[in-house]
Amino acid sequence: MEIREDLRYTESHEWVRVDGDRAYIGITDFAQSELGDIVFIELPELDVELMANEQLGVVESVKAIADIHSPVSGRVIEVNTDLEDSPELINDDPYGAWIAVVEMSELGEIDSLLSAEQYKNFVENQ
Amino acid sequence: MTLKRTPLYEQHLAHQAKMVDFAGWEMPIEYQGIIAEHKQVRAAAGLFDVSHMGAIMISGPQAEELLQLLVTSDVSTAHEQQVVYTLMCTEDGGVIDDFIAYKFSSDKWLLVVNAANKDKDLNWIRQHQLPESQVDDASDDYAILALQGPKAEAILQTLCPDDLSRLKPFRFLPESTVAGRPALISRTGYTGEQGFEIYLAPQDASHVWQELLRAGGEDIAPIGLGARDTLRFEAKLPLYGQEIGPDITPLEAGLHMFVNLDKEKFIGQDALKQQAASGPPRRLVEFEMQGRGVARSGYPVQKDGRTIGHVTSGSYAPTLEKNIGLALIETAYAQAGETIDILVRKRTIPARIGQGLFYRRRRRAKK
């Protein structure tokens, strides 16, 4: 299982890549591996304002359905529509297949997310 | 409660299976991934551990008479070494279980039943037992492998002295061997492909499992219960608890060909005759999603905002590469071409009822 050093994580298995005030959000390698083959994704609407931990979308594998939560507060400014036709990209490259970009309204929230090390410990104790 | 393990548990771990609780059994849900495994079976061959299935032996001079009373099909016409798919109903026509029954002789039948229903089945059968019949739980006597796919026969033939090309669908060899071990072999399965089910003494299971994987080389892989479900679904084979169950009759589920209303007597016959005469209030229909979304078992089906039924099974179909489903809906709407709405997380997604949407394997050319 891959955990990237340069990302932040949540206990619900989302990752965040910070670029200025933009947060790229996806699901972790652990999450995609637990879900198995992903066959469907429901993306958020553009311009929607989300609070941290609010539902961002849904991924469905052959056998399971999982909500994706936004780790941060802000406005959805971009969604990865490639995933609508090829949701399996999340299995193939979980850290490349970002799901949405949120323009963060509270940059400080990033500090409360898990570091790579903390997420690794969290997953190992699952 | 401790989960039960099949004799192949160690083999599953050796193949890095993801294990889950299935009807009280610790079973492999997937090895390399459900879609890859599904395609493996359609393209070449797959090996399944289905040892969790229940086995019930009915024996004695009145064995066949007892079975005839219990099931919807006419088993008196079955030949020795024939396998019959049939259903067992309550008086009101609801389904207790569906299973395949192996006829060794008129005084020896082996029923292979759903793991989750075995105890219920045994109780029901014993309630109706006849004086000269014996009913035994034979589940621990067998490990069961399923070898399925277009290359199944070629692989099994390398390990079996009997000529398998002569074994017809729904027939079995009661005393064959596989890799030198005694085996019952039937040409049966639950995938929509050709293939076999192999009954072994539990202590022989690991040896035969390994030999089959070795003999098949790149053409074979172990397949988990996840792909077993997508394969059976894509081939429109019913699953107990979804397409059929205590409150769904075989006629509603479209299983008319397994119900013989004209046989002398079986439990549920009167109710099913009545339903056949008046027409079932609900029908099982095939549908294809028109909008984006996956229909799942239990999702409501609506028409003009009113609920008219529910999805019994729904999934992405890996071979057909589309989202399809089966739904039990009010008969008035059960027409090909009709549009229905599937309620997915509080949103409705349109679907179109069709026929022939599901997978049918291409038959081999006649020799």
Side-chain angles (χ1 to χ4, degrees), chain A residues 32-43 45 55 58-65 67 83-85 87, chain B residues 18 29-30 32-36 225-226 229-230 292-294 296 299 314-316 318 323 344-345 347 349:
Chain A
Q32 70 78 20
S33 158
E34 286 290 298
L35 285 167
D37 292 323
I38 293 170
V39 296
F40 180 78
I41 185 157
E42 199 172 291
L43 298 169
E45 309 241 340
Q55 189 176 332
V58 178
V59 278
E60 298 195 30
S61 65
V62 178
K63 281 279 140 246
I65 304 175
D67 290 341
L83 298 179
E84 289 188 335
D85 288 333
Chain B
K18 205 182 278 184
I29 184 90
E30 62 175 76
Q32 48 178 340
I34 292 174
I35 292 177
L225 294 183
D229 188 48
T230 56
R292 294 188 66 251
V294 185
R296 304 261 180 188
Y299 284 4
S315 177
Y316 173 71
N323 282 306
V344 179
R345 292 183 290 274
R347 286 195 309 168
I349 299 185

Side-chain angles (χ1 to χ4, degrees), chain B residues 350-365:
Chain B
R352 183 177 297 130
I353 298 174
Q355 269 176 343
L357 300 177
F358 281 68
Y359 174 82
R360 291 190 72 172
R361 84 181 155 88
R362 278 173 292 169
R363 306 270 161 182
R364 283 176 300 177

Side-chain angles (χ1 to χ4, degrees), chain B residues 55-179:
Chain B
I56 298 171
M57 187 69 85
I58 302 184
S59 55
Q62 287 186 293
E64 193 163 293
E65 190 181 337
L66 171 59
L67 188 62
Q68 185 76 326
L69 173 70
L70 292 170
V71 300
T72 56
S73 32
D74 183 0
V75 296
S76 69
T77 59
H79 301 281
E80 292 188 359
Q81 302 185 22
Q82 187 174 342
V83 189
V84 179
Y85 170 77
T86 192
L87 301 108
M88 185 162 72
C89 290
T90 56
E91 292 291 355
D92 64 8
V95 180
I96 297 169
D97 203 0
D98 67 332
F99 48 76
I100 54 175
Y102 288 75
K103 181 174 180 171
F104 291 81
S105 64
S106 56
D107 55 10
K108 187 180 174 190
W109 282 82
L110 178 68
L111 318 184
V112 180
V113 306
N114 286 298
N117 291 339
K118 187 196 72 180
D119 293 339
K120 179 180 78 169
D121 293 346
L122 267 172
N123 284 336
W124 179 263
I125 295 168
R126 284 180 172 145
Q127 276 175 43
H128 298 90
Q129 202 165 338
L130 301 172
E132 291 187 69
S133 68
Q134 195 177 329
V135 178
D136 295 299
D137 183 350
S139 306
D140 292 341
D141 298 345
Y142 298 102
I144 312 176
L145 307 185
L147 175 63
Q148 302 278 300
K151 298 198 174 169
E153 183 178 319
I155 293 167
L156 186 56
Q157 191 65 78
T158 63
L159 299 175
C160 174
D162 292 304
D163 180 358
L164 295 169
S165 69
R166 297 173 65 91
L167 183 62
K168 293 179 184 154
F170 284 88
R171 298 290 162 137
F172 70 100
L173 299 168
E175 292 180 340
S176 186
T177 62
V178 179

